Amino acid sequence: MDGAMGLRVLLCVSLMFLLTLQPTPARGSPKRLKSSEKRQAVDTTVDGVIIRSLKVNCKVTSRFAHYVITSHVVNSADTAKEVAFDVEIPKTAFITDFAITANGKAFIGDIKDKVTAWKQYRRAAISGENAGLVRASGRTMEQFTIRLTIGPRSKVTFRLTYEEVLKRILTQYNIVIKVKPKQLVHHFEIDVDIFEPQGISKLDAQTSFLSEEQATQLIKKSFSGKEGHVLFRPAVGHQQSCPTCSTTLLNGDFKVTYDVNREKLCDLLVSNNHFAHFFAPQNLTNLNKNLVFVIDISTSMEGQKVKQTKEALLKILGDMRPGDYFDLVLFGSGVQTWRGSLVQASTANVQAAQDFIRRFSLAGATNMNGGLLQGIEILNKAQSNVLGVSNHAPILIMLTDGEPTEGVTDYYQILQNVRNAIRGKFPLYNLGFGHDVNLNFLELMSMENNGRAQRIYEDHDATQQLQGFYNRVANPLLVDVELQYPKDAVSAVTQHSHKQHYAGSEIVVAGRIADNKRSSFKADVQAHGESGEFKTTCLVDEEEMKKLLQERGHMLENHIERLWAYLTIQELLAKRMKLEGEEEAKLSAKILDMSLAYQFVTPLTSMTMRGMTDQDGLEPIIDKPQEAFVLPARQQPSPTDPSSVVDKLPNRVTGVDTDPHFIIHVPQKEDTLCFNINEEPGVVLSLVQDPNTGFSVNGQLIGSKASSPGQHEATYFGRLGITNPATGFQLEVTPQNITLNPGSGGPVFSWSDQASLRQDEVVVTINRKRNLVVSVEDGGTFEVILHRVWKKSTIHQDFLGFYVLDSHRMSARTHGLLGQFFHPFDYKVSDLHPGSDLTKTDATMVVKNHQLTVTRGLQKDYSNDPQHATKVTCWFVHNNGAGLIDGVHTDYIVPDIF
């Protein structure tokens, strides 16, 4: 079977982990199979391993879903075998428990604060490859994988528990269970039990791996009143991919969808001094909307992106209601509008807009700030000046695939500009197309402006993804929604103000009720709809609550409280990304306390497995994976989190790697330049030097031991020195060790360590066997990549790569082979023609008053993955970068790394 972020969100290392247990060997003759096993007509054994049972139990109470996945695995062979527990869970879920029972011995998960979990085992912080047993998987899921080697004739049981609050999307709640056992299972079962006090109005279940006829036959579903039930229990014969096959067809999604009755305006539950309020009124008339699309037309949108964007926009415009008003804003290097003001979605206007969409072409860089401000201005003018549309629901939707490279490019300045222009009057929805986009920046911008962000994946269904997002906001019902509760009766209330409420969605609010205040508890709802002001008051039905408690008992009490805790933690994690310093630390402490109190694995907690260790004596650690990102201004990793990787943008990298190939991204041109430096082993080169602060990075070359006589000896960086004299900071990095302040006998770390260190203004994060990140306050952020080479490799030595993740705070005087390119410079390329190598294009480049012949080629960027490079297209400058770098390359030779 198969998040919230902050200005300091850090990415957890997430690798599969191999645990080796030493079970007591079975004595005597081999164990006999039970009669039920004998009756199996099909051999379900794969390499001696049998999955005796695999069960998924899901209990939903008032939208709060509690899942337990249990797997019993048997090694029937006479030799030890590796077994795996491999499941996928929703990204929105929190793991709450994990247990392994092997040879009668139980290993139980223990949730503690992340810092304690990581620091417990070796020096400051340590983990094995088990770090991050959970990793991102696909669009909406996270993969949890653990592998064990168990002895002959042994068995093991895995049990994973996780929880989430179901969100209503387009009139239904979705329970998605990934099914991927990878072999036939003796007893396979998915059992979903739903209890909804409002009563269930519809219930369905589908799979992606069964035909409609098979699903009808094998999936049992029923609902009546408050209860619904779905059971999927296929026999081995029904799991086979064909009648004579020993492989399984169970591979895909098992999806349960349902909704509840909406006869009452109010659904207010109170139990155990907590309340949950569900608000989704029916029979309201849709509001007309004022809609502005702000679309990125920079050249990076070429190909399928722009094709699918146009397809989606054409369909969306065709679905607009005649009472809606709209306009289109396009931004590349410049900004253009279709009309410059809102026009009604009449048939003629829609057709004209569709023609405009079909015709527009891509142009230049990415003036995101200009495009957004133009779209905001159009909406602001309409809301204040245009008669008949000021009571419409205004919505701004932006689609982009990259980072701002034209006009205002500072992220914090863009956030401030957008926030000041919108002034809380309408929501901004951001769509990030592909993986090059900094989604967390878009999420922060949307959150500050009452909206949300979503990634659009580069795939065949990108058009449908765009339309799906639009459908969720296409039908606003209410604006300026306020859910209010007696101030003296409640505390710790989750978000209860919403700019807009859309058809098919639901607002959920939860909180605590003070002792002895339950009798005075109520909810007042105020909003504006098509008919004017909307008001209602919700009261607790005490008699109904008594009945519910009798029917569901402790589970209802427990789930309402945990629903409140879940929503609160999710909201605080989102809020944390806007904070820094002491405020961020206080909020983090609050999140940590709640995570521990309710035993959730969140970005601030980890789960360790008590009593279970790997071959190095290390316990596995289960973490919540986070999306990596960087906001270039004021960004620095948190010193308390042991794993930090900052987002790298493919084809937008500046760094040096392999023999040494220098890659220089030029954002003003949305292009890349490359050059090599050929020098002898032992030579030290200046990579970055900021004379204003003294900060420097120097690298020493090592040679390949396997060069042939008379052949150029390839060289690589084998030693880096990073120093910040203002604070006395020095860091020496080799493929073997990382040494802090080597001149004063500072601590030595190996690449097997996982650690986060702070010294004054500098934070160093070591990510085990992969990379380290150095972040300097009011300076830059840099990444060192570790390259481990194969024994038979022609290189024969491990070596390092060095990448610049953020340099905009470095002074204008910064120099070095990389540092001189941290600030804007210009060049022109012309006269493209076939080169001496007919497979490559040569051209004439004019740069720094030099005219050069350059060649179009490829270099490799390892900043995202040390083992699998991303190919970067660039203009290659020959002769050690002559004419591109200032002076000659020998000017950059320095005596030592410090």
Side-chain angles (χ1 to χ4, degrees):
M1 289 188 96
D2 278 286
M5 66 130 195
L7 297 183
R8 296 183 176 180
V9 171
L10 310 175
L11 179 67
C12 296
V13 182
S14 50
L15 305 172
M16 288 189 182
F17 176 54
L18 173 62
L19 286 169
T20 302
L21 301 180
Q22 299 297 329
T24 305
R27 297 180 180 177
S29 59
K31 186 179 69 173
R32 293 184 179 179
L33 295 178
K34 295 180 180 179
S35 59
S36 60
E37 293 170 6
K38 291 181 181 179
R39 286 196 302 267
Q40 294 289 342
V42 181
D43 184 9
T44 62
T45 306
V46 175
D47 193 26
V49 174
I50 301 169
I51 302 179
R52 181 74 55 74
S53 71
L54 182 53
K55 297 182 179 181
V56 182
N57 182 269
C58 173
K59 291 189 181 297
V60 180
T61 305
S62 294
R63 286 65 149 185
F64 188 83
H66 175 90
Y67 303 82
V68 179
I69 301 176
T70 307
S71 177
H72 299 285
V73 183
V74 176
N75 175 16
S76 64
D78 294 324
T79 58
K81 295 292 181 181
E82 181 185 89
V83 299
F85 180 69
D86 188 359
V87 303
E88 291 186 41
I89 66 176
K91 289 181 179 179
T92 53
F94 289 148
I95 291 173
T96 61
D97 190 30
F98 181 57
I100 300 174
T101 303
N103 275 351
K105 185 176 181 180
F107 303 92
I108 309 298
D110 185 14
I111 297 176
K112 57 187 71 172
D113 72 274
K114 189 182 291 290
V115 176
T116 299
W118 286 78
K119 287 187 176 181
Q120 190 168 342
Y121 304 107
R122 189 187 296 168
R123 282 200 292 269
I126 186 69
S127 77
E129 286 188 356
N130 50 317
L133 293 174
V134 186
R135 60 178 181 170
S137 174
R139 301 176 184 178
T140 61
M141 308 298 280
E142 292 169 349
Q143 188 165 358
F144 179 102
T145 302
I146 190 165
R147 300 176 183 273
L148 295 90
T149 299
I150 62 174
R153 305 291 172 177
S154 297
K155 60 185 177 181
V156 62
T157 300
F158 303 94
R159 189 187 72 244
L160 177 70
T161 305
Y162 60 95
E163 296 174 333
E164 66 172 334
V165 174
L166 302 178
K167 194 169 187 178
R168 189 171 186 248
I169 298 173
L170 298 175
T171 74
Q172 65 187 25
Y173 306 97
N174 301 296
I175 300 168
V176 180
I177 298 169
K178 281 285 185 178
V179 177
K180 195 175 183 180
K182 299 180 182 177
Q183 70 182 77
L184 299 173
V185 181
H186 277 214
H187 303 288
F188 183 92
E189 179 178 294
I190 296 176
D191 189 352
V192 179
D193 174 69
I194 303 170
F195 182 86
E196 289 290 353
Q198 288 170 275
I200 297 173
S201 62
K202 66 178 182 178
L203 174 68
D204 198 8
Q206 299 124 355
T207 75
S208 61
F209 49 83
L210 295 178
S211 67
E212 187 174 338
E213 182 181 351
Q214 288 173 313
T216 302
Q217 176 188 358
L218 298 176
I219 301 174
K220 309 303 179 186
K221 53 193 176 185
S222 62
F223 68 96
S224 177
K226 303 180 184 71
E227 298 184 7
H229 189 232
V230 174
L231 180 64
F232 176 53
R233 190 186 287 160
V236 172
H238 293 130
Q239 299 174 39
Q240 292 173 262
S241 52
C242 73
T244 59
C245 295
S246 59
T247 53
T248 179
L249 60 74
L250 303 186
N251 184 2
D253 291 347
F254 186 90
K255 186 175 181 180
V256 177
T257 59
Y258 77 94
D259 199 12
V260 300
N261 295 319
R262 307 280 173 182
E263 287 86 2
K264 298 179 181 178
L265 281 175
C266 302
D267 181 20
L268 195 58
L269 302 179
V270 175
S271 178
N272 200 21
N273 282 4
H274 288 82
F275 76 89
H277 185 189
F278 305 95
F279 180 73
Q282 298 300 297
N283 303 318
L284 295 179
T285 303
N286 290 337
L287 284 164
N288 290 321
K289 55 186 177 290
N290 297 334
L291 181 61
V292 174
F293 293 99
V294 179
I295 307 298
D296 183 347
I297 60 165
S298 62
T299 52
S300 58
M301 285 282 290
E302 67 183 349
Q304 280 294 104
K305 288 182 186 177
V306 69
K307 178 177 180 290
Q308 293 171 319
T309 297
K310 288 187 175 187
E311 289 174 354
L313 285 172
L314 291 173
K315 179 67 168 62
I316 288 168
L317 289 177
D319 290 341
M320 293 187 73
R321 296 189 301 270
D324 293 336
Y325 282 68
F326 73 103
D327 196 10
L328 302 164
V329 176
L330 309 179
F331 66 91
S333 294
V335 177
Q336 58 177 306
T337 63
W338 173 55
R339 287 290 186 261
S341 61
L342 294 180
V343 298
Q344 189 172 359
S346 63
T347 301
N349 283 336
V350 166
Q351 289 176 350
Q354 289 174 327
D355 289 341
F356 175 75
I357 289 168
R358 293 186 185 98
R359 291 195 312 268
F360 78 69
S361 56
L362 303 181
T366 308
N367 189 353
M368 182 186 297
N369 182 78
L372 281 167
L373 294 185
Q374 180 65 60
I376 294 167
E377 181 181 355
I378 291 170
L379 279 178
N380 280 337
K381 284 183 177 178
Q383 294 300 115
S384 57
N385 298 329
V386 180
L387 292 176
V389 304
S390 59
N391 62 340
H392 290 186
I395 301 172
L396 184 67
I397 298 177
M398 179 183 73
L399 171 68
T400 183
D401 77 328
E403 59 181 356
T405 58
E406 185 80 18
V408 178
T409 59
D410 180 87
Y411 281 18
Y412 283 89
Q413 188 62 54
I414 294 173
L415 291 173
Q416 180 178 325
N417 291 347
V418 171
R419 192 169 55 243
N420 290 343
I422 293 179
R423 296 193 300 276
K425 290 183 291 187
F426 48 80
L428 164 62
Y429 296 101
N430 285 323
L431 302 178
F433 207 139
H435 284 281
D436 292 1
V437 72
N438 190 331
L439 184 68
N440 295 49
F441 165 62
L442 300 182
E443 285 180 335
L444 178 56
M445 189 195 306
S446 290
M447 190 185 75
E448 290 186 338
N449 296 283
N450 300 296
R452 61 184 180 87
Q454 178 174 313
R455 188 186 300 281
I456 302 299
Y457 291 84
E458 291 185 64
D459 210 337
H460 63 91
D461 66 340
T463 299
Q464 289 72 35
Q465 293 177 59
L466 289 165
Q467 289 175 222
F469 178 90
Y470 171 76
N471 289 340
R472 293 174 63 175
V473 300
N475 297 300
L477 298 175
L478 297 170
V479 297
D480 299 325
V481 184
E482 295 284 341
L483 297 95
Q484 299 172 337
Y485 310 91
K487 292 183 179 179
D488 64 340
V490 299
S491 63
V493 178
T494 60
Q495 181 182 353
H496 51 96
S497 295
H498 294 264
K499 204 65 198 172
Q500 296 182 359
H501 171 61
Y502 302 98
S505 67
E506 180 178 64
I507 294 173
V508 182
V509 183
R512 285 175 167 162
I513 302 176
D515 291 338
N516 304 318
K517 293 291 184 179
R518 181 162 163 169
S519 60
S520 62
F521 179 72
K522 64 175 183 175
D524 292 316
V525 183
Q526 294 183 346
H528 292 279
E530 179 65 26
S531 302
E533 191 172 20
F534 175 94
K535 280 188 176 183
T536 190
T537 296
C538 303
L539 301 174
V540 179
D541 188 331
E542 293 286 352
E543 290 302 316
E544 181 62 23
M545 281 305 307
K546 289 178 183 178
K547 291 180 184 177
L548 293 175
L549 289 171
Q550 288 173 356
E551 293 177 62
R552 207 64 167 179
H554 174 70
M555 185 177 291
L556 179 63
E557 293 181 336
N558 184 51
H559 279 200
I560 291 176
E561 182 174 351
R562 293 185 71 80
L563 179 147
W564 163 78
Y566 174 97
L567 293 178
T568 300
I569 291 171
Q570 293 282 24
E571 289 182 7
L572 293 179
L573 286 168
K575 183 180 179 182
R576 189 175 67 137
M577 67 183 177
K578 297 192 294 184
L579 304 177
E580 290 182 290
E582 186 176 346
E583 287 184 328
E584 190 265 349
K586 287 181 179 179
L587 189 61
S588 295
K590 184 176 181 180
I591 298 168
L592 175 59
D593 287 344
M594 286 195 67
S595 300
L596 292 174
Y598 289 91
Q599 290 290 281
F600 288 135
V601 176
T602 70
L604 296 181
T605 55
S606 295
M607 178 184 286
T608 60
M609 299 300 296
R610 290 197 305 272
M612 176 174 283
T613 59
D614 68 2
Q615 57 269 28
D616 295 325
L618 301 175
E619 296 184 5
I621 293 178
I622 298 166
D623 279 306
K624 180 78 172 170
Q626 294 291 290
E627 177 147 8
F629 79 110
V630 60
L631 291 184
R634 302 202 300 272
Q635 167 71 17
Q636 68 173 359
S638 163
T640 61
D641 195 308
S643 56
S644 170
V645 177
V646 190
D647 194 24
K648 281 77 64 177
L649 301 174
N651 298 317
R652 290 170 168 78
V653 66
T654 290
V656 56
D657 215 328
T658 57
D659 177 22
H661 302 307
F662 288 76
I663 305 173
I664 310 298
H665 173 56
V666 187
Q668 298 80 15
K669 297 286 189 178
E670 289 208 338
D671 204 355
T672 303
L673 307 180
C674 309
F675 61 92
N676 294 347
I677 296 293
N678 298 313
E679 267 301 337
E680 299 298 317
V683 166
V684 180
L685 298 172
S686 171
L687 302 179
V688 180
Q689 173 69 47
D690 188 344
N692 283 16
T693 63
F695 178 86
S696 69
V697 181
N698 298 323
Q700 186 173 32
L701 298 173
I702 58 174
S704 169
K705 296 178 181 178
S707 58
S708 302
Q711 197 175 32
H712 163 69
E713 182 175 11
T715 53
Y716 308 84
F717 281 109
R719 187 168 168 244
L720 292 172
I722 303 173
T723 182
N724 192 43
T727 61
F729 170 86
Q730 287 186 334
L731 188 74
E732 180 180 1
V733 185
T734 70
Q736 293 75 41
N737 297 305
I738 301 107
T739 307
L740 183 64
N741 299 327
S744 56
V748 179
F749 295 83
S750 79
W751 283 95
S752 295
D753 290 342
Q754 178 80 36
S756 183
L757 317 166
R758 174 189 281 276
Q759 180 178 311
D760 298 319
E761 300 174 351
V762 184
V763 175
V764 179
T765 303
I766 305 168
N767 296 299
R768 188 179 194 266
K769 295 184 179 180
R770 183 180 177 90
N771 69 350
L772 67 82
V773 177
V774 178
S775 183
V776 184
E777 188 175 338
D778 296 325
T781 302
F782 309 93
E783 177 187 28
V784 180
I785 293 291
L786 172 66
H787 289 280
R788 297 284 196 201
V789 300
W790 296 97
K791 290 183 180 179
K792 296 183 180 180
S793 168
T794 56
I795 299 175
H796 283 268
Q797 285 202 79
D798 296 342
F799 62 96
L800 304 171
F802 178 77
Y803 293 88
V804 181
L805 305 183
D806 172 27
S807 61
H808 84 282
R809 290 166 291 173
M810 306 290 288
S811 80
R813 298 175 62 203
T814 302
H815 214 259
L817 285 168
L818 292 173
Q820 63 187 292
F821 301 108
F822 287 177
H823 298 282
F825 66 99
D826 194 22
Y827 65 88
K828 292 184 179 179
V829 176
S830 61
D831 186 27
L832 276 68
H833 58 274
S836 55
D837 182 345
L838 297 179
T839 64
K840 296 181 179 179
T841 300
D842 279 2
T844 299
M845 174 182 288
V846 177
V847 57
K848 297 182 178 179
N849 296 318
H850 297 286
Q851 183 170 304
L852 313 173
T853 297
V854 294
T855 302
R856 198 64 169 168
L858 293 173
Q859 290 290 14
K860 294 181 177 180
D861 164 23
Y862 291 91
S863 59
N864 279 314
D865 187 338
Q867 296 182 352
H868 303 94
T870 299
K871 291 183 179 179
V872 177
T873 305
C874 63
W875 288 110
F876 182 79
V877 180
H878 302 271
N879 302 320
N880 291 305
L884 172 64
I885 63 173
D886 295 335
V888 295
H889 81 276
T890 53
D891 295 339
Y892 299 87
I893 297 177
V894 294
D896 204 349
I897 62 169
F898 294 122

